[in-house]
Amino acid sequence: MKILAFAGSTSSTSINRELVKFVLKDFQNEEINLIDLNDFDMPVFSVDREKKGFPDQAHHFLKVIEDCDVIICSLAEHNRSYSAAFKNVFDWASRINVKVFQNKPMFLMSTSPGGYGGGNVMNTAKTFFPQFGADVKETFSLSKFYENFDLEAGVIEPEMLKDLKDKILNFKNQITN
Ligand SMILES: Cc1cc2nc3c(=O)[nH]c(=O)nc-3n(C[C@H](O)[C@H](O)[C@H](O)COP(=O)(O)O)c2cc1C
């Protein structure tokens, strides 16, 4: 099984990337493509710019989705919504193929240092990603990242760890059945 993984962030110290990497430890026997949104740097989308053509990176983003079987991602929350970096990739890609996520099963996550764990961007994404072709199978938000996550050990708060592990198991069951 080919897994496409990404964080909705371009931060070199992205906590969402840490959460994704922790979850990927449960998929070690699978083929993993952990992409970095820094490799999809494009001009800020505009209808005027798109008249001049689409950046290669927009096609490439759609291609890595096409090439995967499932998607595991965690979105950073900026001002209650997507990071500008993710939104830009998403906007460009959606103009080529509105079904950006191409019906791939998705494990959708978010985390932030705050108590809501990126719950706002999660609510937006889980509501609207399906309109863009995402088959969202499970969702998980990790609140207070710096209290509940250790960079070596991963999620350390027992109830949150159990919740996450249960969801990983449910996700695995759904994608293999
Ligand atoms: C411009 C900006 C806006 C932010 N807005 C929010 C927010 O609305 N909600 C939140 O929980 N955290 C917010 N944060 C804090 C981010 O959750 C935090 O920077 C986190 O590390 C981002 O995820 P990342 O490390 O994966 O990039 C904001 C951070 C920045 C830089």
Side-chain angles (χ1 to χ4, degrees), residues 32-175:
I32 291 167
N33 183 15
L34 174 57
I35 61 169
D36 182 342
L37 289 194
N38 284 296
D39 295 330
F40 297 83
D41 196 23
M42 291 176 261
V44 175
F45 176 83
S46 83
V47 289
D48 297 312
R49 277 190 169 131
E50 82 174 332
K51 285 181 187 146
K52 297 176 194 154
F54 293 97
D56 289 346
Q57 293 96 325
H59 288 287
H60 185 44
F61 188 68
L62 290 167
K63 180 76 172 99
V64 293
I65 295 173
E66 184 187 332
D67 288 347
C68 80
D69 298 310
V70 302
I71 301 170
I72 295 175
C73 61
S74 188
L75 301 179
E77 179 170 308
H78 282 180
N79 297 328
R80 309 296 185 256
S81 189
Y82 306 119
S83 70
F86 173 76
K87 184 67 163 48
N88 198 42
V89 177
F90 188 38
D91 284 353
W92 275 113
S94 71
R95 297 291 284 185
I96 300 170
N97 180 1
V98 73
K99 299 291 180 192
V100 174
F101 300 109
Q102 301 167 62
N103 303 319
K104 307 291 169 139
M106 178 182 284
F107 192 109
L108 175 63
M109 298 182 287
S110 67
T111 189
S112 84
Y116 203 33
N120 297 293
V121 71
M122 169 59 78
N123 284 340
T124 303
K126 78 176 175 198
T127 304
F128 296 114
F129 271 11
Q131 294 177 11
F132 298 91
D135 180 9
V136 180
K137 298 289 192 193
E138 290 291 336
T139 65
F140 176 78
S141 289
L142 179 66
S143 63
K144 299 186 178 176
F145 178 86
Y146 293 104
E147 290 170 39
N148 295 320
F149 195 97
D150 177 272
L151 290 179
E152 298 291 320
V155 177
I156 45 177
E157 201 288 317
E159 281 186 21
M160 291 179 187
L161 180 60
K162 184 181 181 311
D163 185 29
L164 177 57
K165 291 286 181 183
D166 286 349
K167 287 176 172 175
I168 292 171
L169 208 57
N170 286 342
F171 183 66
K172 283 186 173 178
N173 286 336
Q174 291 180 77
I175 59 181

Side-chain angles (χ1 to χ4, degrees), residues 9 11 13-16 76-80 112-113:
S9 165
S11 167
T13 55
S14 169
I15 59 178
N16 285 279
E77 179 170 308
H78 282 180
N79 297 328
R80 309 296 185 256
S112 84

